[in-house]
Amino acid sequence: MTIVRTHALSPLTSALLKASALLLLSAPAGAATIVDDQLSIDGDTAPDSYFVAPDAQLDANGASTQDISIGENGRLNLQRSSVTATSDGIGVERGGHAIISDNSKVVSERIGLRLLRTASGGSSAVVSDSHIEGARGGASVSAGSALRLERSTVVGTGASSAVRMFGNSTLVAEQSTLIGARAGLQVNGDSAFPGATQITLAGTRVQGLDGSAIVVGGDGYEAVDADIVVGPGSSLQGSNGAILEVQGGSHVDMQVDGSALQGDVRVEEGSSANLRLDNQASLTGRLENVDGLTLNNQASWTMVEDSSVGAMAMNGGAVHFGQANDYQRLTLGTLSGQGTFVMDADFSTGETDFLDVTGTATGSHTLLVGSSGAEPAAENQLHLVHAGAGDATFSLLNGSVDVGAFSYELVQRGNDWYLDGSRQIISPGTASVLALFNTAPTVWYGELTTLRGRMGELRRDEGNTGAWVRAYGNKFNVSASAGSAYQQVQQGFSVGADAPLPWGDGQWKVGVLAGHSNSDLNLARGASAQVKSYYLGLYTTWLDAQTGYYFDGVLKANRFDNSSEVTLSDGQRTKGDYDNFGVGASAEFGRHFEIADGYFIEPYTQWSLASIEGKDYHLDNGLQARGDDTRSLVGKAGATLGKTIDLNDGRFIQPYLRLAYAHEFISNNDVKVNDHRFDNDLSGSRGELGAGLAVSLNDRLQLHADFDYANGDRIEQPWGANVGVRYTW
């Protein structure tokens, strides 16, 4: 045995040092270098075992050593070094402190790092960027001792855990990995130090290769209290599916902060555990015999089977009742706070997830129940919640649950809450279907508005051939009395060309047109739809210059591409699409009267007829729809008042104002959603107001702008506008 010292020792002190070294190193006949003051070793130092005497210090930089024992208040600074030991790799006595860093590696046939105690206190170590491994345990932390891991790995091989802790010891692990051949982390009691064990994990993985991730109690040791914090980026993995196991009368308070965990929490009879999930933390797994669960700040627990919890407190958290078709029951002793329960129900079979509070329920809670496009077999009600006592309130998160063609409400009867389908409320899916089938007429007439202004232009062209283009936009507000309330915003363009007929009295013109419009529909409760329209048409106009009588006619065919996207009551999205065709015609007859000073008036009547093909249609959540052919017949009577201001050389300005009364005669456009029949009805009267301006820059080029407003029984047009240009030759 070698003693390294810088001053003389008494024979008694020397003997005590030798005895301590032999005891701590547990070497039957091994030689150890005793460091009684301070020693530095490096790569040029031959491998040896070391005993660091009380208050002494060993510095190893790039060295290779065998066992190292640190006496009371001794110090070890291990950098870029390796320890290969047949006994404990590094043992630290009370008050001693070890720093293991910079890619150091400790491998032992027993325990890699052991932090020891006496009755008066424990020891400590900081391990950073290093590896600790032991066949009987990676690290052992006695009561009163503290271990800090930073970006390091601790492995327990054989039949051991990565880290075993006792009594009120402390472990802080950051960006580290703990892997045990049995449990990842084992905690046991020590009656001499009865305080709680403190464990903090941040960005750390704890894995039990043949057991739970963390085991508190058991193995014949005394019961222990443990406070565990699982911080952001951490994970717990147990080969038996358990992330935490509490045994032997022990108690655990575990907080999960910002981490997503999967696995069970198992609490043995006679033991206890409280869990708190915070800051969007999540847990998926079983809770067996857990006393309390707290869910804060968007934290969530996902059940995997029927479960029971003593007390649940919620502050913005959520409980998910497993898979959609795997109905589960949650039994709580008490419930408090504010939270959300995500549940499912099958209206065709009556199966539901169920929340049963056997004691007192307080607070304000919401239910998010899964939606479906399939129709229930019968109008019924489903029992979702029961409370033994208390003043708790429950409501549906989005106001209702979408089931088939209708939405269901939550009703309270005493201390029980039911989904009730007796009051039929149209679901967003149904609303989108009705709106799409109802939109084609407004699309068709919105496109026709530009042509109405076009005819007046042609009658002033005195037989010239020309081409034109117009851009337009319209907004329609359709009331619920029409079948489904929605807002429609239409944008589009039309192009065309026309010429006088070479026969007859020379007062006839014919033309062709083409165009495209896009209509966006906004519906209540997060539903939207879109109609893309493509059209071709023919038009004609006739004017008797002597009498002022005129006739305008339009024949137009459309292809409609329809699609919808619906946000359902449970937050899921569903969509569908279909295409169909339509055809329509418009005929207007009127008379042009010149008054005086360029003023004129044109009384007229217009009749328009449109027919749009019916179609089968479905959303991808199972909602089925069938629309009959949609028909529209609109009669209109009105007058245009304007003035032509002649600027000479073929130039003029013509402002005008138009008033009309219109009536839709068709009132029975039926739509079938699942097995329910609905009536789309745009019938009724409305008043129309329009204003416009035509400007001729020369005898070939004209500019036009029109603005419209309409309001009636079921439909309002807050605004309509179109602008265009025409060139003749």
Side-chain angles (χ1 to χ4, degrees):
M1 178 178 296
T2 301
I3 300 177
V4 178
R5 58 180 180 269
T6 58
H7 60 276
L9 296 174
S10 67
L12 178 59
T13 301
S14 179
L16 289 174
L17 288 176
K18 292 179 180 179
S20 298
L22 289 173
L23 178 62
L24 290 172
L25 294 173
S26 301
T33 297
I34 299 177
V35 181
D36 73 328
D37 190 356
Q38 184 170 1
L39 175 66
S40 296
I41 61 176
D42 56 25
D44 295 330
T45 306
D48 199 355
S49 297
Y50 293 89
F51 170 67
V52 180
D55 300 313
Q57 179 170 327
L58 173 63
D59 296 317
N61 192 335
S64 297
T65 76
Q66 299 172 7
D67 312 340
I68 300 176
S69 292
I70 304 170
E72 291 190 1
N73 301 316
R75 294 291 183 267
L76 170 65
N77 187 2
L78 199 71
Q79 299 181 58
R80 293 187 298 110
S81 298
S82 63
V83 177
T84 304
T86 56
S87 59
D88 293 339
I90 298 176
V92 185
E93 275 286 358
R94 182 196 66 81
H97 182 66
I99 297 176
I100 304 170
S101 64
D102 201 4
N103 291 312
S104 293
K105 185 173 185 179
V106 179
V107 178
S108 170
E109 294 181 8
R110 295 180 62 184
I111 296 175
L113 172 64
R114 173 173 282 182
L115 302 182
L116 303 167
R117 72 163 181 86
T118 65
S120 58
S123 54
S124 61
V126 175
V127 181
S128 59
D129 302 300
S130 296
H131 179 93
I132 308 293
E133 182 177 327
R136 298 186 184 178
S140 175
V141 185
S142 67
S145 298
L147 172 61
R148 182 178 185 87
L149 302 174
E150 300 172 350
R151 301 174 302 281
S152 296
T153 301
V154 180
V155 178
T157 59
S160 63
S161 57
V163 178
R164 183 185 287 269
M165 305 178 67
F166 295 88
N168 64 352
S169 57
T170 300
L171 170 66
V172 177
E174 298 179 351
Q175 306 299 320
S176 296
T177 301
L178 284 64
I179 302 176
R182 291 180 62 193
L185 178 58
Q186 174 79 48
V187 183
N188 294 112
D190 186 334
S191 59
F193 290 78
T197 300
Q198 305 291 326
I199 300 171
T200 302
L201 308 174
T204 293
R205 175 167 65 98
V206 179
Q207 183 176 9
L209 298 178
D210 189 20
S212 304
I214 302 176
V215 177
V216 178
D219 272 3
Y221 289 90
E222 301 171 24
V224 64
D225 290 346
D227 294 334
I228 303 173
V229 177
V230 182
S234 298
S235 64
L236 305 178
Q237 303 172 28
S239 65
N240 58 1
I243 62 172
L244 173 64
E245 199 170 350
V246 187
Q247 305 172 346
S250 298
H251 173 78
V252 172
D253 288 317
M254 186 167 84
Q255 176 184 351
V256 182
D257 188 354
S259 283
L261 303 182
Q262 289 190 334
D264 305 336
V265 176
R266 302 173 183 173
V267 182
E268 186 181 74
E269 288 295 333
S271 300
S272 60
N274 293 309
L275 302 181
R276 185 175 72 181
L277 276 63
D278 210 338
N279 296 323
Q280 301 183 16
S282 64
L283 171 63
T284 300
R286 300 170 179 82
L287 299 185
E288 300 178 7
N289 198 31
V290 170
D291 294 80
L293 173 63
T294 301
L295 299 172
N296 295 334
N297 300 318
Q298 302 181 51
S300 64
W301 170 40
T302 300
M303 300 165 52
V304 296
E305 64 182 18
D306 292 349
S307 299
S308 176
V309 175
M312 177 173 286
M314 307 183 77
N315 181 21
V319 176
H320 297 258
F321 282 70
Q323 299 300 315
N325 297 318
D326 186 14
Y327 302 104
Q328 297 167 355
R329 185 183 188 94
L330 174 59
T331 303
L332 304 177
T334 61
L335 173 64
S336 62
Q338 297 178 336
T340 300
F341 295 89
V342 183
M343 313 172 78
D344 282 289
D346 189 332
F347 282 76
S348 63
T349 64
E351 293 179 288
T352 71
D353 292 320
F354 189 74
L355 172 61
D356 184 14
V357 184
T358 58
T360 301
T362 59
S364 177
H365 306 277
T366 54
L367 308 180
L368 179 58
V369 182
S371 63
S372 173
E375 199 67 22
E379 185 181 295
N380 55 8
Q381 62 178 14
L382 296 179
H383 194 189
L384 295 182
V385 179
H386 169 76
D391 59 358
T393 61
F394 292 88
S395 61
L396 292 173
L397 182 60
N398 293 312
S400 59
V401 177
D402 303 328
V403 182
F406 299 101
S407 297
Y408 282 51
E409 298 176 304
L410 188 70
V411 297
Q412 180 180 1
R413 298 186 179 95
N415 284 333
D416 295 275
W417 284 262
Y418 299 82
L419 273 182
D420 185 17
S422 60
R423 194 167 78 91
Q424 293 185 328
I425 304 170
I426 291 177
S427 69
T430 300
S432 71
V433 168
L434 297 179
L436 277 181
F437 283 124
N438 216 16
T439 302
T442 54
V443 171
W444 201 89
Y445 288 121
E447 297 165 349
L448 186 64
T449 301
T450 63
L451 299 176
R452 166 67 178 83
R454 279 289 312 121
M455 299 307 178
E457 299 169 16
L458 294 183
R459 293 193 297 273
R460 291 190 294 269
D461 281 344
E462 299 180 356
N464 293 328
T465 299
W468 53 272
V469 59
R470 280 207 164 193
Y472 56 91
N474 298 289
K475 181 176 182 180
F476 301 98
N477 296 329
V478 179
S479 68
S481 61
S484 174
Y486 62 90
Q487 294 181 333
Q488 174 188 348
V489 176
Q490 180 187 37
Q491 300 178 52
F493 68 90
S494 296
V495 296
D498 44 65
L501 287 177
W503 59 82
D505 56 12
Q507 299 183 4
W508 286 92
K509 276 191 177 183
V510 295
V512 295
L513 65 103
H516 165 69
S517 73
N518 185 81
S519 293
D520 291 317
L521 278 63
N522 293 319
L523 298 96
R525 297 167 57 190
S528 62
Q530 186 179 64
V531 179
K532 294 182 178 180
S533 172
Y534 307 87
Y535 53 90
L536 293 171
L538 301 172
Y539 59 90
T540 185
T541 186
W542 167 82
L543 171 67
D544 186 337
Q546 298 298 321
T547 63
Y549 286 109
Y550 71 87
F551 169 80
D552 296 333
V554 179
L555 179 64
K556 184 163 68 77
N558 288 62
R559 171 192 165 95
F560 302 101
D561 291 342
N562 310 271
S563 62
S564 64
E565 188 169 4
V566 181
T567 299
L568 301 172
S569 58
D570 59 358
Q572 299 298 312
R573 301 282 287 180
T574 184
K575 59 185 178 180
D577 59 79
Y578 69 98
D579 59 77
N580 59 346
F581 295 89
V583 65
S586 172
E588 179 179 328
F589 182 76
R591 187 174 184 183
H592 180 87
F593 292 98
E594 295 286 347
I595 303 176
D597 298 325
Y599 286 97
F600 66 89
I601 187 170
E602 290 181 356
Y604 69 91
T605 181
Q606 183 186 49
W607 293 85
S608 303
L609 175 67
S611 179
I612 291 87
E613 175 190 20
K615 202 75 171 183
D616 286 328
Y617 170 51
H618 71 275
L619 298 179
D620 54 18
N621 71 335
L623 188 76
Q624 302 290 329
R626 166 68 187 177
D628 293 341
D629 289 351
T630 300
R631 295 181 175 85
S632 173
L633 175 61
V634 175
K636 186 182 301 185
T640 301
L641 175 65
K643 181 178 181 179
T644 302
I645 303 172
D646 192 351
L647 302 178
N648 300 321
D649 299 325
R651 297 177 299 130
F652 64 83
I653 298 176
Q654 187 182 78
Y656 63 87
L657 182 70
R658 183 171 58 251
L659 295 172
Y661 172 85
H663 185 82
E664 170 64 72
F665 291 90
I666 304 298
S667 61
N668 58 346
N669 290 314
D670 289 340
V671 178
K672 192 174 183 180
V673 180
N674 290 347
D675 293 325
H676 303 277
R677 185 169 293 277
F678 298 87
D679 182 27
N680 268 350
D681 185 3
L682 287 175
S683 66
S685 301
R686 61 180 179 267
E688 297 181 352
L689 173 64
L693 182 69
V695 178
S696 177
L697 301 180
N698 52 51
D699 57 359
R700 293 182 180 276
L701 185 63
Q702 294 181 0
L703 306 178
H704 312 273
D706 299 278
F707 306 93
D708 297 288
Y709 171 81
N711 199 358
D713 295 339
R714 291 180 168 86
I715 186 170
E716 176 194 16
Q717 183 183 13
W719 57 266
N722 68 85
V723 294
V725 59
R726 170 176 169 79
Y727 182 79
T728 61
W729 59 87

